[in-house]
Amino acid sequence: MKKTSLLILTTLVHFIAIAGNMTVSGRILDGTTNQPLDFVNVALYKQGSSEPVTGGFSDADGKFELHAEEGRYTFKATFLGYTTYSKDVASTSALKHIRIGTVKLTEDAKQIAEVEVVGQGSSMKLDIDKRVFNVDQSIVGDGASAAEILENIPSVDVDTEGNVSLRNSSSVEIWINGKPSGLTDTDKGQILEMLPADAIKSVEVITNPSAKYNPEGNAGIINIVMKEGGQRGYFGSVTAGAIYREGSPYPGGQAGLNFTYNESKWSFNLNSNLRYNRRDRGSHLDRKNFTDLETTYLKQDSKSAFHRLNGFLRAGFNYNITTVDEIGITAYGMMGGTRNKGNINYTDLDAAQTVTKTRERITGTDGILAFYDITANYKHSFIKDIHDLSASVNYNGQIRNSESRYFTNAYQPDLTPIPDAKVRQRQTLDSKANNASAQIDYMNKVAKDHKIEAGLKADIKFSDSYDHTYDSIFTKNREEEDFSKYNPFNYSEQVYAAYINYAAKFNWFSLQVGLRCEETITNAKSIKDEFHRSYFQPFPSVYFGFDLGKSNTLQLSYTRRINRPRGNRINSFVDRSDPSNLRHGNPWLMPEFGNVVELNYLKNWEMHSLSASLFYNYTENVIQQVSRLITTNVMETTYENITHSQNAGAEIVAKNRLFKNYLDLTTTISAYYYQLGANEQYKIKRTDSFSWNARINANVKIISNLSAQVSAYYSSPRIVAQGTVDQSYGMDLGIKANFLKKKLSISFTVKDVLDSRKKGHTITESTNFHQESYRTSCDRSYRLTLTYNFGDMKSKSREKKDGDRNDTDDFDDDL
């Protein structure tokens, strides 16, 4: 570690001195298929030396570029399963740029045999501006959902309610295949639970994207890349599995199909999945209510059983019209039916903590959630990889319907029923949301090391929701609508954007500057409020890159970002499932604006990578959940722009492939300083806190056809607007065996081995209340998954020989 720290310090101070003035470039292809090979190790050696002077990796197009001082060198390209390519090169004052041209690597039969015995893919690839998590290499992800996959990715956290955060911030955007998914806080957790991991190729975490991309999400973007066609031929797999959660009376299960057919001019892929899941939950709450006149207490216990049956279907088609024109269309949809049954028991106490009343509330909710998306793309290449124009249109929508029934009984302290206290209540919700967008992008490498990008985008969202509340006292024996609680809500948002990026390389130094401008128009209307808002905002981005030699890379960046409130954050619909804890949105919320500065360092060795990041984020109009007592025992929770915040942090990610590739290890350590400004209205004082977390993912090759995975994490306590969230930790284990020449695989996973995720503890307090809540549900589960692969397995095995290969190019390296 000291050696690495010294190296970082030295290169930061003396990067100019070590920068090279000789360039070696080329492209690497598979000698059999003529397909580009990415992540091939390339290096320059002083002739006669075994130590590399500088090195790196080929990109998704097989291209590479190395820099060194003038001299005589031996260039080498090495890739697992292929013979090593070497060539002597030399530079002079007249010849500083050496073009090796196209290098075709051929398969090494001996290495292939060794790969089949001990090789395994890497679960993560580190780049200077993103991290790519390879879902295929995640054993604990077999048969899982997208939400469960995200739980095992460094810097990402998913709580028990499905809320996703990145770098300790919930202001994160979820994208699918490089496009905004349209998911909001209302549905994000449920949709990610419905999206099967078997249909996902990789997950990209981009913490500071350029002006080319949507500036939504102060913490960054999580891009879910779906499986699509690869090399020629047809491939497919069928999966089936069962899952059992402790405490549930019976297990759930899932079944899926993935199929890909790829020809020279066109390709087709299909993903489908059907899954059923049951989850039992519980919680306990202690609240102290105090005013100048009295002090009272409330104790609350709840239990519920949540059932979900959902299906997923996705199909994609790509066609090369000519050698320079291609089109593609992708559509996917998912639908789920849910049922949630439970009961809540309340105990009211006076200042002496003597019971004054008890209540029992039986709850039941049936709902349907459907989500669909269709995207069409067109690309024209004037000069392939040099000059192109692309366009896309996207439309997605969501339909949500639910009906909730509540039955409440109240009792005296001696458990005698209180007359006329039996209440029946029913609440219905019908909502729909739609999003249409169109964009056009232009790219031109106007010179060898200079590139211009520009584009336009229009994004239109509109949503409607209608809820009705019906009340009755049992003596009436009928339901009557309470029109005072009727709340239709209509919302529309238009965003019109234009951007321009300029990127350039100057030997060891690279630069990118960009500007994105957006005009936003929003309208919201409820039965009580109506507002119109229009605002124009610029979003600049600046990147500086430094090639420090010997596979050392440094990047400094600045971006301005936005977090627009949507979904349940602005919907004034009141959730009445718990009458002591009412929840609703706030249509008057303003967007958050963040300014992010980030410094990234990346060092690559042949079998190791190290990524270190420092970041600072200043956010205005911070949106937080806030609570207040509206009556003695009724708490109201909503969202407010309460103040500003400062968030600074450091992250270190180390990826190591050890013991002749028997062990693939990814270790992440993150530390965060968070300052939340004061707010007089909610009696919130300025708070400063330090928190940290660590995660380790280990893939172990036991024998040729048997491997295992361990994933563990720890997160320290952290602050929120009106309190704290306690520490959390957990561990998942998985084991996988392959049979029939890897056509059949069986995996067994134990999630939450320590049964620790049930111990969540949150403190919320203000001037007139202090509340502590606990989770009491068990999250430990057992999953058995069988997968059968079919098709042209020879081509597929050639494509999968090295797990570090990732064809994800949704976010190109702009520098």
Side-chain angles (χ1 to χ4, degrees):
M1 187 65 190
K2 292 182 179 179
K3 183 178 179 180
T4 303
S5 301
L6 181 60
L7 174 63
I8 295 173
L9 180 62
T10 303
T11 51
L12 282 173
V13 176
H14 300 289
F15 65 87
I16 295 178
I18 67 171
N21 52 20
M22 163 189 169
T23 302
V24 178
S25 64
R27 192 182 189 202
I28 301 177
L29 303 180
D30 184 302
T32 303
T33 66
N34 286 325
Q35 295 292 318
L37 291 176
D38 66 332
F39 218 61
V40 176
N41 188 293
V42 291
L44 291 176
Y45 299 77
K46 281 287 187 181
Q47 291 187 5
S49 172
S50 60
E51 291 294 326
V53 173
T54 185
F57 299 94
S58 61
D59 62 17
D61 294 321
K63 296 178 181 179
F64 65 88
E65 188 171 280
L66 298 174
H67 302 278
E69 298 290 343
E70 289 183 13
R72 303 177 65 84
Y73 298 91
T74 298
F75 167 81
K76 290 186 179 182
T78 57
F79 196 44
L80 193 63
Y82 290 79
T83 57
T84 298
Y85 173 90
S86 63
K87 181 178 181 179
D88 291 337
V89 295
S91 67
T92 64
S93 57
L95 180 63
K96 292 187 176 182
H97 189 180
I98 300 173
R99 294 179 176 85
I100 292 181
T102 300
V103 175
K104 292 188 177 182
L105 298 185
T106 57
E107 294 179 344
D108 187 318
K110 181 179 179 181
Q111 284 195 40
I112 292 174
E114 292 174 352
V115 168
E116 292 297 322
V117 174
V118 301
Q120 65 171 325
S122 176
S123 60
M124 177 167 289
K125 176 183 176 182
L126 302 178
D127 282 334
I128 191 66
D129 60 346
K130 66 182 176 182
R131 298 165 189 166
V132 182
F133 184 82
N134 189 351
V135 176
D136 284 342
Q137 300 301 322
S138 174
I139 298 175
V140 297
D142 282 353
S145 66
E148 292 172 299
I149 288 294
L150 295 181
E151 290 177 1
N152 289 289
I153 295 180
S155 307
V156 180
D157 182 67
V158 183
D159 67 17
T160 57
E161 303 302 319
N163 300 309
V164 181
S165 61
L166 175 63
R167 286 183 169 177
N168 226 17
S169 171
S170 60
S171 178
V172 56
E173 281 289 292
I174 303 294
W175 285 23
I176 297 179
N177 279 354
K179 309 289 183 184
S181 63
L183 302 183
T184 68
D185 290 339
T186 304
D187 49 52
K188 188 180 297 180
Q190 294 189 53
I191 296 297
L192 291 175
E193 280 285 350
M194 296 167 65
L195 183 61
D198 295 336
I200 301 173
K201 177 182 180 181
S202 62
V203 177
E204 301 175 340
V205 178
I206 307 100
T207 54
N208 212 16
S210 72
K212 177 180 178 180
Y213 304 106
N214 192 324
E216 291 278 358
N218 287 331
I221 295 170
I222 297 175
N223 182 38
I224 298 174
V225 182
M226 309 298 289
K227 290 180 177 177
E228 294 183 348
Q231 294 194 4
R232 289 191 192 180
Y234 69 96
F235 316 107
S237 65
V238 290
T239 62
I243 179 173
Y244 173 72
R245 296 182 184 273
E246 287 188 0
S248 297
Y250 45 83
Q254 64 92 22
L257 168 68
N258 294 308
F259 178 76
T260 296
Y261 186 84
N262 193 6
E263 284 290 348
S264 58
K265 290 185 68 66
W266 63 276
S267 65
F268 171 78
N269 60 85
L270 175 72
N271 314 113
S272 62
N273 188 270
L274 181 69
R275 59 196 300 123
Y276 169 77
N277 190 22
R278 170 177 170 141
R279 188 170 190 172
D280 295 340
R281 295 178 176 177
S283 65
H284 176 76
L285 178 148
D286 286 317
R287 182 192 300 158
K288 180 181 180 181
N289 313 306
F290 41 90
T291 65
D292 294 336
L293 299 176
E294 63 177 346
T295 298
T296 60
Y297 296 86
L298 172 68
K299 294 183 181 295
Q300 179 179 321
D301 290 282
S302 67
K303 291 183 178 180
S304 65
F306 182 77
H307 307 254
R308 174 185 283 124
L309 175 65
N310 61 265
F312 170 85
L313 181 64
R314 177 180 182 271
F317 176 80
N318 289 281
Y319 180 67
N320 296 317
I321 306 173
T322 67
T323 56
V324 296
D325 296 279
E326 59 181 278
I327 59 172
I329 185 167
T330 301
Y332 68 89
M334 56 193 90
M335 176 178 287
T338 61
R339 172 167 292 181
N340 191 15
K341 291 185 176 182
N343 64 285
I344 309 174
N345 293 306
Y346 306 89
T347 303
D348 299 315
L349 305 96
D350 59 19
Q353 298 197 37
T354 301
V355 176
T356 59
K357 182 174 64 174
T358 61
R359 290 169 288 154
E360 179 188 32
R361 185 172 177 86
I362 301 172
T363 66
T365 300
D366 294 315
I368 293 177
L369 174 63
F371 183 85
Y372 57 91
D373 181 285
I374 183 168
T375 301
N377 298 293
Y378 167 77
K379 182 177 181 180
H380 173 77
S381 298
F382 301 98
I383 304 174
K384 188 172 178 59
D385 300 324
I386 301 294
H387 188 192
D388 60 52
L389 180 71
S390 61
S392 68
V393 292
N394 172 262
Y395 185 85
N396 61 59
Q398 179 194 119
I399 300 172
R400 176 192 294 268
N401 299 310
S402 67
E403 181 180 74
S404 302
R405 295 182 176 273
Y406 312 112
F407 300 89
T408 305
N409 296 299
Y411 303 91
Q412 302 284 0
D414 61 358
L415 301 183
T416 302
I418 299 176
D420 298 332
K422 287 186 177 182
V423 176
R424 179 172 62 198
Q425 188 177 62
R426 181 166 63 94
Q427 188 173 27
T428 63
L429 174 65
D430 298 296
S431 68
K432 60 181 180 179
N434 297 276
N435 177 33
S437 65
Q439 70 181 78
I440 184 168
D441 298 283
Y442 174 80
M443 186 273 288
N444 189 359
K445 292 184 178 179
V446 293
K448 177 188 175 297
D449 293 321
H450 299 265
K451 180 172 69 173
I452 293 178
E453 296 174 301
L456 300 170
K457 183 177 182 180
D459 196 343
I460 302 174
K461 304 178 189 293
F462 43 97
S463 62
D464 304 283
S465 70
Y466 303 90
D467 69 286
H468 300 269
T469 302
Y470 304 85
D471 293 297
S472 74
I473 298 176
F474 269 52
T475 54
K476 292 183 180 180
N477 199 30
R478 70 177 186 272
E479 293 179 346
E480 296 179 355
E481 182 170 2
D482 186 344
F483 290 99
S484 67
K485 297 175 181 175
Y486 175 58
N487 184 52
F489 184 75
N490 310 103
Y491 177 78
S492 67
E493 177 184 285
Q494 304 171 58
V495 180
Y496 302 98
Y499 76 88
I500 185 167
N501 265 341
Y502 168 73
K505 288 184 178 180
F506 305 96
N507 207 355
W508 49 268
F509 172 72
S510 58
L511 166 72
Q512 178 182 284
V513 293
L515 178 65
R516 186 183 186 94
C517 296
E518 294 191 345
E519 173 72 19
T520 305
I521 304 170
T522 60
N523 293 279
K525 181 179 181 182
S526 69
I527 203 167
K528 298 179 180 179
D529 300 300
E530 182 175 357
F531 73 84
H532 169 84
R533 183 180 294 148
S534 176
Y535 54 92
F536 173 86
Q537 290 290 329
F539 298 96
S541 65
V542 182
Y543 297 78
F544 300 102
F546 307 92
D547 184 350
L548 306 178
K550 297 184 178 180
S551 300
N552 292 272
T553 308
L554 188 71
Q555 183 191 74
L556 177 66
S557 62
Y558 162 78
T559 64
R560 185 170 187 261
R561 305 194 60 75
I562 187 173
N563 180 32
R564 296 181 177 92
R566 299 189 179 108
N568 62 3
R569 290 193 171 192
I570 59 173
N571 192 340
S572 51
F573 163 77
V574 180
D575 182 353
R576 304 181 188 277
S577 58
D578 181 356
S580 293
N581 296 278
L582 303 179
R583 298 176 179 273
H584 64 84
N586 176 9
W588 296 98
L589 285 177
M590 295 287 291
E592 296 178 336
F593 291 98
N595 293 275
V596 184
V597 178
E598 188 165 336
L599 179 67
N600 294 321
Y601 168 77
L602 179 64
K603 166 66 176 176
N604 285 310
W605 294 270
E606 184 175 356
M607 302 294 285
H608 309 280
S609 297
L610 175 68
S611 171
S613 302
L614 298 173
F615 69 90
Y616 172 80
N617 187 341
Y618 181 86
T619 303
E620 302 171 288
N621 299 332
V622 172
I623 298 172
Q624 289 267 307
Q625 268 194 348
V626 292
S627 301
R628 65 185 181 93
L629 282 174
I630 55 177
T631 64
T632 302
N633 275 326
V634 178
M635 180 80 74
E636 178 189 58
T637 300
T638 186
Y639 298 87
E640 294 285 356
N641 296 106
I642 61 170
T643 182
H644 65 274
S645 70
Q646 298 184 76
N647 191 9
E651 291 182 329
I652 296 177
V653 182
K655 190 170 77 72
N656 307 97
R657 305 183 75 170
L658 306 170
F659 308 115
K660 297 183 179 180
N661 204 30
Y662 274 96
L663 174 63
D664 179 79
L665 196 65
T666 303
T667 308
T668 306
I669 300 176
S670 305
Y672 308 105
Y673 166 76
Y674 184 69
Q675 181 191 92
L676 187 66
N679 182 281
E680 292 185 4
Q681 179 182 355
Y682 287 91
K683 309 300 180 183
I684 298 173
K685 298 179 180 180
R686 197 193 90 167
T687 53
D688 299 81
S689 73
F690 174 82
S691 61
W692 66 279
N693 59 58
R695 180 180 293 276
I696 184 167
N697 292 332
N699 288 358
V700 182
K701 177 70 70 173
I702 302 173
I703 56 176
S704 61
N705 290 318
L706 184 65
S707 55
Q709 184 178 30
V710 180
S711 178
Y713 80 97
Y714 171 82
S715 181
S716 71
R718 56 187 176 87
I719 66 168
V720 291
Q722 290 177 290
T724 60
V725 177
D726 202 3
Q727 67 178 0
S728 61
Y729 58 93
M731 178 184 292
D732 300 331
L733 298 176
I735 189 167
K736 185 174 185 177
N738 296 309
F739 306 94
L740 304 177
K741 296 182 179 180
K742 296 188 177 182
K743 287 187 175 181
L744 176 67
S745 66
I746 301 175
S747 65
F748 179 72
T749 301
V750 183
K751 182 182 177 183
D752 195 16
V753 176
L754 306 177
D755 195 17
S756 55
R757 291 190 175 103
K758 71 177 182 180
K759 299 176 182 178
H761 176 211
T762 302
I763 297 176
T764 308
E765 55 188 351
S766 187
T767 55
N768 59 351
F769 73 89
H770 176 91
Q771 177 175 293
E772 297 190 35
S773 58
Y774 308 82
R775 291 195 305 270
T776 59
S777 56
C778 177
D779 200 49
R780 185 189 289 146
S781 62
Y782 309 88
R783 183 168 56 237
L784 180 68
T785 305
L786 283 76
T787 303
Y788 180 77
N789 299 301
F790 60 88
D792 188 355
M793 301 306 296
K794 181 178 179 181
S795 297
K796 189 172 184 179
S797 64
R798 182 187 302 125
E799 182 186 16
K800 294 290 184 181
K801 272 184 305 204
D802 187 274
D804 274 330
R805 293 184 59 199
N806 288 280
D807 297 326
T808 53
D809 57 0
D810 301 277
F811 290 85
D812 296 324
D813 294 329
D814 290 313
L815 297 180

